[in-house]
Amino acid sequence: MNSKNKRIITLTNLNKKPVVDTKKVSKDNDNKPPNQKEDLKPEVKSENKKSISIEKQFKFKNWKTKEKPLPPPTFVMNHYKSTIGLFSKIYGRNDFKWRVGIIIIVGLLMSFTSLLFIQNTGVYISGTSGIFQGIARVVKMSLKKEGNLPDDTINLIYQIMFYVIYLTTNIPLIIFSFFKMGKKFTILSTIVVVLSNVVPLAINQIPGINNFFIFGDTRIPNGTPNAAYRDDLYLLNFEGLERELAISMFLYALFAGLINGLAYSMATAVGGSTGGLDFISFFFAYKKKKPIGPILLTFNVSSVLLSVTLGSFVSGGIADENNWTFQNYVSQNLMSGVIYTIVVITVLNVLFPKDKVVKIQIYCEDVMAIRNYLYSVNFNHSLTINTTTGGYSLQEKKNIEIICLYIEVPKIIRRLKEVKKDMMVTISPIKGIDGKLSVEDALN
């Protein structure tokens, strides 16, 4: 037996074949000539497989990403349309005529609200329009108390004060907006102001329209001390027969807030406003770069208090001196005005929170084309171009990041669509910001 091919053989019987201990197989067996090689048993092959698997594990630990291309993905990517906000289809349009059509709907919605939920119910809305409601009701009660004019004339004067005077006071604000805020913004806002006042004034000329109530008659019930002025005094407290009308009053305030909140959101989404104070507030937001959210909230609450004080409390005192009581000040009219303001602000914050700060991220293959276009149209925001690595391709990609007000999102989206490149845009809210934030100069 060759010394180079040593084996340990166990002989149990001289007549039996030798049994090979596979644990001690020689490593030099492969170097023998073909006629001298001995067959290996399956146990030896399994050992070779084990050594190969270990080798693979070793190579895996030292694996380099660029040595071998990755296989193609096995999943299917679905492409979705824009889902940014409820009004993404509204403020994503560049067609100005289409935006005018939306703003006409807004004006008609506000006309419907003013005629059916505000004018004859004693509910007060916030803003300058509510203040003129209070003034109109004071004038109406004063004329009624004197008794020198017929009721039809008094009602006509009331409607003129309610609608025409408010429309007239918007004229200097419209001129101011045209030169300071831009032509398109002013046109859209003016359409809302005109429609929301002219349409109800025209409908009021229909006989008997003042006796139409959706959720019930909210005028002073017969049998109360103020029953003599039930058609002209918009004052309801929480005592006696008047208390039974509270549900109707609150329903009017709720639905008025829902519809007007929807209208405000749509007007802002297409780049317009509802007029009045919005002309001034938008100017401070875009030109003076001031946070107008707290200012608007304070003004809305103050305007409701002033409107109720004039239209209900002062009017009630003119009708009867006994109405100068605290119970008549904390009235259903005051509570419904507060409900209206809360509902409008809530709906506006849900549908279009214009005064909140957001972060826009734009993902596109050619971000430099987007960057160059935005600055070519006098885009005054700072841009941040981030470099990231794709998780699948492991290639560097870029995206653009913008910090702005939510109210600026429609204009930015319209500008991005003009680039006509495939992109994905995400918008995420920012809870707080410490520092200066520049905003767009105009809403056109």
Side-chain angles (χ1 to χ4, degrees):
M1 184 178 295
N2 193 348
S3 60
K4 295 182 180 180
N5 189 21
K6 293 180 180 181
R7 299 177 182 176
I8 300 175
I9 303 175
T10 304
L11 297 178
T12 56
N13 194 336
L14 294 175
N15 295 327
K16 291 183 180 181
K17 294 182 179 180
V19 178
V20 180
D21 188 356
T22 58
K23 297 182 180 178
K24 302 295 184 179
V25 177
S26 174
K27 296 181 180 179
D28 297 330
N29 186 55
D30 294 334
N31 296 326
K32 295 177 66 177
N35 56 353
Q36 294 182 3
K37 286 185 178 181
E38 296 191 27
D39 295 335
L40 296 177
K41 291 192 174 184
E43 288 79 6
V44 179
K45 293 182 181 180
S46 65
E47 183 177 351
N48 290 338
K49 290 182 180 180
K50 183 177 180 181
S51 64
I52 293 173
S53 64
I54 294 174
E55 184 180 2
K56 286 184 178 181
Q57 292 179 6
F58 176 79
K59 287 185 177 180
F60 177 76
K61 292 180 180 179
N62 296 275
W63 177 68
K64 296 182 180 180
T65 58
K66 296 184 179 180
E67 289 182 355
K68 187 178 181 181
L70 292 172
T74 58
F75 58 88
V76 178
M77 179 65 74
N78 294 321
H79 297 277
Y80 295 92
K81 294 183 179 180
S82 174
T83 56
I84 302 174
L86 182 62
F87 297 124
S88 58
K89 293 184 179 180
I90 294 179
Y91 62 65
R93 297 289 294 266
N94 293 324
D95 188 359
F96 184 70
K97 293 182 180 179
W98 194 87
R99 292 161 63 190
V100 169
I102 296 296
I103 214 71
I104 290 175
I105 296 176
V106 171
L108 294 177
L109 283 175
M110 296 186 67
S111 302
F112 172 79
T113 303
S114 179
L115 186 65
L116 298 180
F117 300 115
I118 304 297
Q119 175 182 305
N120 300 322
T121 62
V123 177
Y124 292 88
I125 63 176
S126 56
T128 53
S129 179
I131 295 175
F132 279 97
Q133 292 176 27
I135 295 174
R137 286 168 179 170
V138 169
V139 172
K140 182 179 182 180
M141 180 50 59
S142 299
L143 296 176
K144 184 73 174 181
K145 184 70 174 179
E146 293 178 0
N148 297 327
L149 296 175
D151 291 341
D152 293 341
T153 304
I154 293 176
N155 288 331
L156 180 60
I157 295 175
Y158 170 67
Q159 294 166 13
I160 292 175
M161 293 289 298
F162 203 93
Y163 298 109
V164 178
I165 301 300
Y166 171 72
L167 179 61
T168 304
T169 57
N170 273 271
I171 294 177
L173 296 175
I174 291 172
I175 298 173
F176 170 83
S177 175
F178 182 83
F179 290 102
K180 296 295 184 179
M181 297 300 299
K183 180 176 66 176
K184 292 182 180 179
F185 171 78
T186 305
I187 291 175
L188 295 175
S189 303
T190 303
I191 292 174
V192 176
V193 173
V194 173
L195 286 178
S196 60
N197 289 275
V198 173
V199 172
L201 181 62
I203 296 178
N204 269 294
Q205 308 311 312
I206 301 175
I209 192 67
N210 294 331
N211 296 321
F212 181 74
F213 294 91
I214 295 180
F215 300 118
D217 193 344
T218 57
R219 292 175 294 188
I220 297 173
N222 292 322
T224 61
N226 294 314
Y229 303 99
R230 72 180 308 268
D231 294 336
D232 307 291
L233 180 59
Y234 302 90
L235 176 62
L236 293 172
N237 55 38
F238 292 94
E239 299 177 354
L241 297 175
E242 299 177 14
R243 181 173 51 192
E244 299 176 359
L245 304 179
I247 296 178
S248 297
M249 284 288 293
F250 295 160
L251 284 175
Y252 283 119
L254 174 63
F255 278 85
L258 291 173
I259 297 176
N260 273 358
L262 174 65
Y264 293 161
S265 303
M266 293 173 62
T268 308
V270 297
S273 71
T274 58
L277 182 67
D278 283 351
F279 286 123
I280 301 175
S281 61
F282 279 44
F283 171 77
F284 275 95
Y286 287 93
K287 289 293 185 178
K288 300 301 181 180
K289 299 176 176 59
K290 299 289 185 180
I292 62 174
I295 298 176
L296 282 179
L297 178 61
T298 302
F299 181 84
N300 287 335
V301 174
S302 301
S303 64
V304 169
L305 295 176
L306 179 58
S307 302
V308 174
T309 301
L310 294 175
S312 294
F313 191 63
V314 174
S315 297
I318 294 174
D320 190 344
E321 294 182 356
N322 295 324
N323 289 328
W324 297 106
T325 61
F326 180 75
Q327 289 80 2
N328 283 331
Y329 183 78
V330 186
S331 59
Q332 297 182 30
N333 309 87
L334 177 62
M335 295 297 103
S336 60
V338 173
I339 292 174
Y340 169 86
T341 303
I342 294 174
V343 172
V344 168
I345 293 175
T346 303
V347 173
L348 190 59
N349 287 335
V350 171
L351 300 182
F352 201 85
K354 59 180 183 178
D355 300 320
K356 290 188 176 181
V357 180
V358 297
K359 177 173 67 174
I360 300 178
Q361 287 183 305
I362 306 165
Y363 301 87
C364 182
E365 294 294 333
D366 191 2
V367 297
M368 292 306 297
I370 298 176
R371 180 261 180 200
N372 295 335
Y373 172 76
L374 290 176
Y375 282 129
S376 69
V377 293
N378 297 323
F379 185 72
N380 71 341
H381 274 291
S382 59
L383 303 178
T384 301
I385 299 179
N386 302 315
T387 301
T388 58
T389 302
Y392 172 75
S393 65
L394 299 178
Q395 296 179 353
E396 289 189 351
K397 296 181 179 293
K398 297 182 181 297
N399 63 77
I400 296 178
E401 186 176 291
I402 304 172
I403 305 296
C404 66
L405 294 178
Y406 195 93
I407 194 175
E408 299 175 274
V409 172
K411 184 178 180 180
I412 295 175
I413 295 296
R414 286 194 291 269
R415 282 177 168 172
L416 292 176
K417 289 183 177 294
E418 293 174 358
V419 185
K420 296 181 179 179
K421 289 184 176 293
D422 293 333
M423 68 184 72
M424 182 179 72
V425 181
T426 63
I427 299 176
S428 56
I430 296 178
K431 293 184 178 180
I433 184 171
D434 184 11
K436 294 183 178 180
L437 176 65
S438 297
V439 296
E440 284 279 23
D441 285 341
L443 287 176
N444 292 325

